[in-house]
Amino acid sequence: MAETKHALTAPQAARHASWLELFFDLVAVAGVGQLAHLLHGAPDWHDAGLYVVLFLAFWSAWTCTTLYGNIAAETVHVSTVLLCMFGLTVMAAAVHGVQEGEHARAFAIGYVFVRVLGSKVLESRRQALVDWPVAQIGAGVLPWTVSIWVPEPARYWLWAAGVAIDLGLTFLVSGRHLREQVDEHVRRENEKSRREAPGRRSRSGGGPGRAVEIVRTDVEHLAERLGLFVLIVLGEAVYQLVEVGSEADWRKALFAGAAPAFLAVVLLWWLSLQRGFGGVPLAGAATLSPRTLMGLHCLVAGSLAAFAAGLGSALEHADGRLPAQTAWIMACALGVHLCVATALGALTRPVARPRLLLAAVPALAVCAAVGAVGETGRPVLTIWLLVAAVAWFSYATTPSGRGPAPEPTPTADRPGP
């Protein structure tokens, strides 16, 4: 008889990303770069919405594979990771021209392939991941599957519905509910085994298989993987600056914009990685559950990628005027990042609330002003204003203005949602 193990596994020793995982992350480099290009030029609401949906899908597929590696550790199947990497490569390649029928269909097929494969491999291991149930609950994949045979624009609405279902399940399905689902699955499995022929049961060892195990993530390893993803996003920002600088005439306006743009990347790296946890700015290692950490990571990574695209566009228009849409996207992206940092600063860091408000209010006000002014402002001035916002926030939230706050000791055994 199969039974459910409710003892939660915990890592025995700290481990770091393997060569296989680092190789797998190369596909994230390609994917983030392609997704950022959706916001180049003068993107409209449709482009911004499509970027959000595609980024969520790509991040979700990447996360499911990353969690499989996190749980499996040394027993990971290399072929499974490489197959998922191929599926993500198809998704990344399909982003360019995704508003065309064949590319959109290829993106959906790649997404369904990675999600289904990730779910099946965890099922074959007879493990239930309590920290991220979406990795094994495939309800959100169904609209994507249907979209393969549905033309535009209905296809995009199906994608949005699939993403919305996943987001809902992520934060509505509790660990207790997942355990109940596993128990119910085991109960049905046992009833099925009792209906089988006695000879077949004896050949299978007297039951439907080994126990179903409730597992949790290795939090330190997961945080490292999430941090590497944010580092990849920041690398895309650097690439945007290099690409524009290599193709544009090296005029005074370009230099006036490139210096603060690079400074913005440095400051965001400082907030997210030097003073954060898992790439989430000002997050404390001992205060966030893995599910919350991953949800915030998605928000932060998506906003940083959008900001990176905006920096590239701002430098391209250094001698002219910045499209209003690009200014709005940059302001909103940086504003989201600072809002997350402010909330977590109040929750996890020894920063007095008055000081935190003194840091956040002016910085967010600058972001709002840049978004409101839009096209009437100069690109270089826009970059400098946003750099000033993040620089002030970073300085004002640093204790005594001298260095980063002490990092809490990571704990892998924290309670889940």
Side-chain angles (χ1 to χ4, degrees):
M1 299 287 286
E3 59 182 13
T4 306
K5 291 182 180 178
H6 283 174
L8 301 178
T9 59
Q12 299 300 314
R15 63 187 177 94
H16 298 284
S18 66
W19 287 115
L20 175 63
E21 290 172 318
L22 294 174
F23 180 60
F24 169 75
D25 281 349
L26 291 178
V27 75
V29 177
V32 170
Q34 290 298 311
L35 289 165
H37 278 78
L38 291 174
L39 299 178
H40 279 194
D44 55 21
W45 286 104
H46 177 268
D47 296 325
L50 188 61
Y51 165 80
V52 171
V53 171
L54 296 188
F55 186 90
L56 285 169
F58 187 87
W59 181 89
S60 179
W62 177 87
T63 299
C64 288
T65 308
T66 296
L67 288 172
Y68 163 61
N70 181 279
I71 296 302
E74 290 79 10
T75 63
V76 67
H77 292 163
V78 175
S79 58
T80 299
V81 175
L82 294 181
L83 284 172
C84 289
M85 184 178 180
F86 175 76
L88 281 162
T89 302
V90 171
M91 293 173 65
V95 170
H96 182 71
V98 75
Q99 301 189 50
E100 302 170 5
E102 291 304 317
H103 283 244
R105 189 173 293 110
F107 188 93
I109 291 173
Y111 177 75
V112 172
F113 173 77
V114 175
R115 287 293 305 274
V116 170
L117 181 59
S119 175
K120 291 297 182 183
V121 74
L122 284 175
E123 182 180 336
S124 68
R125 293 174 59 86
R126 299 188 66 80
Q127 291 178 325
L129 181 58
V130 70
D131 289 333
W132 198 252
V134 174
Q136 292 170 278
I137 301 177
V141 179
L142 181 59
W144 286 84
T145 305
V146 174
S147 75
I148 296 173
W149 296 278
V150 175
E152 299 82 359
R155 171 181 286 136
Y156 304 132
W157 289 108
L158 286 170
W159 290 358
V163 168
I165 291 172
D166 278 345
L167 288 175
L169 291 173
T170 296
F171 297 103
L172 293 179
V173 176
S174 65
R176 177 179 299 177
H177 180 70
L178 180 63
R179 293 186 184 95
E180 292 173 353
Q181 285 188 322
V182 172
D183 288 338
E184 178 64 19
H185 173 75
V186 170
R187 186 187 64 78
R188 291 199 215 100
E189 201 174 55
N190 290 341
E191 291 179 353
K192 181 180 178 181
S193 69
R194 283 193 290 268
R195 292 193 296 268
E196 292 177 350
R200 182 176 179 181
R201 286 202 303 272
S202 63
R203 287 193 301 270
S204 64
R210 69 179 189 275
V212 177
E213 184 183 13
I214 299 290
V215 294
R216 282 193 171 168
T217 55
D218 178 339
V219 180
E220 292 186 51
H221 176 263
L222 176 63
E224 181 185 49
R225 304 285 284 114
L226 296 177
L228 287 171
F229 190 96
V230 168
L231 196 63
I232 288 170
V233 174
L234 294 173
E236 172 61 23
V238 174
Y239 174 76
Q240 294 280 340
L241 305 184
V242 172
E243 185 178 38
V244 173
S246 65
E247 296 178 357
D249 294 333
W250 286 25
R251 298 178 181 177
K252 183 184 296 185
L254 180 64
F255 286 109
F262 181 77
L263 179 58
V265 177
V266 172
L267 290 170
L268 291 171
W269 162 78
W270 174 257
L271 276 175
S272 301
L273 295 169
Q274 290 292 99
R275 300 185 59 202
F277 182 69
V280 179
L282 302 190
T287 56
L288 297 179
S289 69
R291 194 181 304 194
T292 303
L293 177 65
M294 285 187 283
L296 291 175
H297 176 271
C298 181
L299 188 62
V300 166
S303 64
L304 285 178
F307 185 72
L311 282 180
S313 296
L315 281 184
E316 286 179 350
H317 296 85
D319 288 320
R321 289 189 176 274
L322 187 65
Q325 303 95 316
T326 301
W328 182 85
I329 287 173
M330 292 177 68
C332 287
L334 185 59
V336 167
H337 193 271
L338 294 180
C339 283
V340 171
T342 300
L344 291 177
L347 178 66
T348 68
R349 293 284 174 165
V351 178
R353 288 192 176 181
R355 182 175 184 139
L356 187 62
L357 289 176
L358 181 64
V361 172
L364 292 173
V366 170
C367 292
V370 168
V373 172
E375 194 173 14
T376 61
R378 294 287 181 178
V380 173
L381 177 60
T382 297
I383 296 174
W384 273 108
L385 286 173
L386 293 177
V387 168
V390 69
W392 168 250
F393 182 89
S394 180
Y395 173 80
T397 55
T398 300
S400 302
R402 290 191 296 270
E407 188 72 40
T409 302
T411 58
D413 225 4
R414 75 181 62 108

